[in-house]
């Protein structure tokens, strides 16, 4: 079996921002396609029954979601028009007949601002959008008058399309995953909220919060009561940007679809809002959930599943029918490397304080004895079991790859996530060292163990090698954090204010920052071969 080549590694296409057109007969998404001048985004819609596809917008070029997120387009509830964020120039409305474009109209939004997450109200009279991750703006779809709902928070995104411009917001020094709110409601300190939604008819509302430690879907029934769905499982990831849609209500508001995260593995479920029944619809990590008529659409991925646009017919919940509408992966992945696309296995190491540290292990068909221990960035993040060509490239060469969820990772509840507060550069390193030691007890040798990580993961990888140089044979890292004192001095507009919480101090001269910084570990790091990549921007 040939190893994955660089050409194939770079050939993975993207499809993001799934939406079901009202009526349930068409599914739309933004597909990134290769052209002579480079990749370009095209908004298309697909007909699951016939397999037909129609290009809705290519020029001006639509924006795309990030990963399994969306926030680039939304259908008018009548189904005859779709609002689309374009990469350069604001927002347009595309008027659509049954299967053809009638017109494209530029809406009166400032083209110099960054727009995201359009959402119509249930009656179609208003369009709500967010500008610059800050202002929630409304537009009257008949008069084209605009107004600002809310500009008092430091960050705002993901409007729900309900009266008052309800949207996710938070203020410094918090991040969305520490304390956030659905504005204009007050903040509940110590509760993270996200993804406000409403049903197609506007009767059912809901959101996700972690009031019980887990990011769970909470639905507000028409009778005023609320219900928390599927407790003990994570239903979302951290909000690093707009457009995460890991849950949605059914059109009639009687059920909800939920993308569940179990230790990084994913599955798609439907729950009755009264809690009597639940159905597993599919396995795999799902995002961009959208439900109209009898059709539930999503962007789906897995260890062996390149990113794809799928729809599920839910006429029979016990036997849903899945259709793959778009799978923009190079055919060579499946033809030449199917055996290298392996499912990981779940493991846990015991930390020095007795806590369990989860990790996922990707084992090659023909192992060469080498081990790569890979640490995600963030550090408040997680690498779920999605299609990751960089992992497959090494597995195809015989390497075993371990992906670590040190404390601070998402997917394991709020307490696990916040355990890193005040200990970044310390607890993440000791947790990862516990995983490395556990792997060595399984037969992997220190002289065949390589650490990898980028950004915050680079800090952890270098910190481990600096403190425990005898555990590893080398480190490969991209744009790593090496000086924690400098992180305090640098005011990153999105995350800089969070550094004192992560580090446990706002004093750049605090001695703990020197102890945890790879910059101060030169003597021990000199014993370990290092390969460091860097550039002008941290794009982790």
């Amino acid at each position: 079996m040939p190893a994955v080549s660089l050409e194939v590694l770079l050939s993975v296409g993207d499809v993001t921002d799934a939406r079901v057109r009202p009526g349930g007969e068409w599914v739309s998404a933004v597909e990134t396609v290769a052209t002579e001048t480079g990749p370009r985004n095209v908004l298309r819609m697909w007909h699951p029954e016939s397999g037909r596809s129609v290009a809705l917008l290519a020029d001006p070029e639509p924006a795309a979601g990030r990963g399994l997120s969306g926030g680039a387009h939304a259908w008018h509830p009548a189904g005859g028009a779709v609002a689309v964020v374009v990469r350069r120039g604001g927002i347009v409305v595309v008027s659509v007949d049954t299967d053809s474009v009638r017109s494209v109209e530029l809406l009166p939004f400032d083209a110099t601002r960054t727009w995201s997450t359009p959402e119509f109200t249930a009656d179609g009279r208003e369009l709500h959008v967010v500008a610059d991750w800050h202002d929630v703006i409304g537009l009257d779809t008949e008069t084209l008058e605009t107004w600002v709902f809310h500009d008092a928070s430091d960050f705002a995104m993901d409007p729900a399309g309900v009266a008052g411009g309800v949207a996710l917001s938070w203020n410094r020094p918090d991040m969305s995953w520490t304390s956030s709110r659905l504005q204009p409601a007050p903040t509940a300190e110590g509760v993270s909220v996200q993804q406000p939604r409403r049903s197609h008819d506007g009767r059912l509302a809901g959101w996700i919060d972690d009031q019980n430690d887990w990011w769970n879907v909470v639905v507000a029934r028409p009778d005023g009561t609320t219900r928390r769905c599927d407790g003990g499982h994570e239903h979302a990831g951290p909000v690093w940007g707009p457009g995460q849609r890991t849950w949605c209500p059914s059109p009639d508001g009687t059920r909800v679809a939920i993308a569940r995260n179990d230790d990084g593995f994913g599955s798609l479920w439907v729950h009755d809002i009264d809690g009597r029944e639940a159905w597993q619809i599919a396995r795999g990590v799902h995002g961009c959930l959208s439900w109209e008529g009898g059709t539930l659409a999503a962007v789906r991925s897995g260890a062996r599943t390149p990113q794809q646009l799928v729809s599920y017919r839910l006429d029979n919940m016990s036997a849903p029918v899945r259709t793959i509408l778009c799978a923009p992966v190079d055919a060579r992945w499946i033809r030449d490397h199917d055996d290298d696309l392996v499912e990981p296995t779940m493991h846990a190491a015991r930390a020095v304080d007795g806590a369990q540290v989860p990790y996922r292990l990707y084992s090659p068909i023909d192992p060469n004895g080498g081990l790569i221990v890979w640490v995600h960035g963030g550090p408040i993040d997680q690498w779920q079991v999605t299609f990751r060509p960089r992992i497959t490239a090494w597995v195809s060469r015989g390497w075993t790859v371990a992906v670590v969820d040190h404390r601070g990772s998402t997917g394991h509840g709020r307490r696990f996530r916040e355990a890193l507060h005040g200990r970044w550069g310390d607890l993440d390193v000791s947790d990862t060292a516990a995983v490395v030691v556990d792997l060595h007890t399984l037969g992997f040798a220190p002289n065949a163990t390589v650490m990898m990580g980028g950004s915050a993961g680079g800090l952890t990888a270098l910190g481990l090698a600096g403190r425990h140089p005898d555990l590893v044979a080398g480190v490969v890292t991209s744009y790593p954090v090496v000086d924690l004192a400098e992180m305090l001095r640098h005011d990153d507009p999105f995350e800089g204010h969070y550094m004192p919480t992560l580090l446990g101090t706002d004093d750049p001269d605090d001695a703990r920052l020197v102890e945890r910084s790879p910059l101060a570990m030169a003597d021990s790091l000199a014993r370990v071969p290092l390969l460091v990549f860097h550039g002008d921007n941290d794009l982790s």
Side-chain angles (χ1 to χ4, degrees):
M1 185 67 61
V4 178
S5 68
L6 180 61
E7 179 187 6
V8 175
L9 184 68
L10 298 176
S11 66
V12 179
D14 284 324
V15 59
T16 61
D17 201 27
R19 291 274 191 171
V20 184
R21 184 179 180 180
E25 294 186 3
W26 293 85
V27 176
S28 57
V30 178
E31 182 183 8
T32 302
V33 298
T35 70
E36 292 182 356
T37 58
R40 281 187 65 85
N41 301 327
V42 179
L43 177 65
R44 295 184 183 275
M45 66 178 185
W46 289 260
H47 193 265
E49 295 298 322
S50 67
R52 294 179 56 223
S53 70
V54 176
L56 298 178
L57 185 68
D59 187 16
E61 184 182 2
R66 180 175 180 265
L68 297 182
S69 291
H73 77 295
W75 285 95
H76 186 279
V82 58
V84 188
V85 178
V86 296
R87 288 190 65 188
R88 300 176 182 86
I91 300 176
V92 300
V93 167
V94 181
S95 297
V96 184
D97 291 327
T98 301
D99 59 358
S100 62
V101 174
R102 189 166 63 248
S103 64
V104 178
E105 176 186 2
L106 182 65
L107 293 178
F109 292 115
D110 184 352
T112 65
R113 304 189 74 177
T114 299
W115 299 93
S116 64
T117 51
E119 200 68 49
F120 287 96
T121 53
D123 60 6
R125 182 62 192 267
E126 297 177 8
L127 176 67
H128 299 171
V129 294
V130 170
D132 303 326
W133 295 12
H134 180 268
D135 297 345
V136 183
I137 301 205
L139 174 137
D140 188 304
T141 57
E142 295 181 5
T143 67
L144 299 187
E145 174 191 3
T146 63
W147 64 93
V148 177
F149 278 114
H150 179 76
D151 61 359
S153 296
D154 293 327
F155 299 95
M157 55 186 64
D158 296 346
V162 299
V166 172
L168 167 66
S169 69
W170 69 94
N171 289 313
R172 299 181 177 92
D174 284 309
M175 298 296 288
S176 69
W177 53 80
T178 57
S179 287
S180 49
R181 65 177 179 143
L182 302 183
Q183 67 88 12
T187 301
E189 292 299 327
V191 176
S192 168
V193 187
Q194 57 171 282
Q195 297 189 55
R197 298 275 180 272
R198 58 157 178 83
S199 59
H200 182 83
D201 60 11
R203 296 178 66 244
L204 179 75
W207 60 89
I208 288 177
D209 71 38
D210 65 355
Q211 194 164 12
N212 70 336
D213 192 50
W214 300 91
W215 273 319
N216 286 161
V217 172
V218 180
V219 292
R221 302 184 184 96
D223 63 6
T225 61
T226 61
R227 175 178 173 265
R228 184 173 298 274
C229 300
D230 195 33
H233 302 279
E234 208 90 287
H235 297 163
V239 174
W240 284 99
Q244 184 177 184
R245 282 189 276 118
T246 55
W247 85 279
C248 69
S250 63
D252 63 3
T254 62
R255 294 168 175 165
V256 292
I258 298 171
R260 180 195 286 183
N261 178 350
D262 288 306
D263 290 326
F265 295 84
S267 55
L268 178 62
W269 291 75
V270 169
H271 289 253
D272 277 340
I273 64 169
D274 59 12
R276 288 181 303 187
E277 291 188 271
W279 301 267
Q280 182 173 306
I281 304 301
R283 298 182 65 82
V285 179
H286 291 72
C288 296
L289 271 58
S290 177
W291 193 346
E292 297 285 352
T295 301
L296 173 63
V299 178
R300 177 175 179 264
S301 183
R304 295 176 52 83
T305 306
Q307 194 165 309
Q308 56 186 212
L309 176 67
V310 297
S311 66
Y312 298 93
R313 286 298 303 178
L314 300 182
D315 304 311
N316 180 353
M317 287 290 177
S318 299
V321 178
R322 182 174 71 209
T323 302
I324 299 175
L325 303 174
C326 177
V329 68
D330 192 303
R332 289 174 292 179
W333 276 102
I334 306 303
R335 185 188 69 223
D336 299 337
H337 302 290
D338 187 60
D339 288 346
D340 297 317
L341 299 172
V342 299
E343 290 283 351
T345 54
M346 192 67 205
H347 302 262
R350 184 172 295 278
V352 292
D353 60 2
Q356 295 290 302
V357 183
Y359 67 94
R360 292 168 294 282
L361 200 63
Y362 294 77
S363 301
I365 300 298
D366 186 17
N368 63 11
L371 171 68
I372 295 171
V373 180
W374 221 317
V375 187
H376 63 73
I380 309 299
D381 206 351
Q382 183 190 42
W383 276 8
Q384 281 192 265
V385 183
T386 56
F387 189 69
R388 295 190 178 274
R390 67 179 85 178
I391 290 178
T392 302
W394 291 105
V395 171
S396 74
R397 288 158 170 80
W399 288 78
T400 299
V401 178
V403 175
V404 180
D405 281 0
H406 58 72
R407 273 171 285 186
S409 302
T410 53
H412 306 283
R414 185 182 181 99
R415 286 190 293 271
F416 190 91
R417 190 169 75 240
E418 291 195 335
L420 190 63
H421 284 179
R423 300 189 64 184
W424 187 33
D426 171 24
L427 189 61
D428 52 314
V429 172
S430 61
D431 278 1
T432 304
V435 169
V436 173
V437 170
D438 190 67
L439 287 162
H440 288 170
T441 65
L442 298 179
F444 296 98
N447 64 4
T449 301
V450 176
M451 292 298 307
M452 286 193 183
S455 193
L459 170 77
T460 306
L462 290 171
L464 184 144
R467 294 187 194 179
H468 309 285
D470 295 333
L471 288 181
V472 296
V475 178
V476 180
T477 184
S478 305
Y479 36 88
V481 174
V482 297
D483 187 347
L484 292 175
E486 188 60 28
M487 291 294 290
L488 275 180
R489 297 187 183 99
H490 180 69
D491 186 22
D492 177 86
F494 182 70
E495 200 181 6
H497 59 276
Y498 183 49
M499 291 301 106
T501 300
L502 275 177
L503 296 172
T505 180
D506 59 4
D507 179 9
D509 296 321
D510 191 306
R512 291 173 296 175
L513 303 186
V514 175
E515 295 172 0
R516 301 177 192 171
S517 295
L519 192 65
M521 303 176 185
D523 287 348
S524 54
L525 285 173
R527 299 169 51 190
V528 181
L530 304 178
L531 177 60
V532 180
F533 296 91
H534 224 296
D536 294 332
N537 294 294
D538 180 345
L539 299 177
S540 61

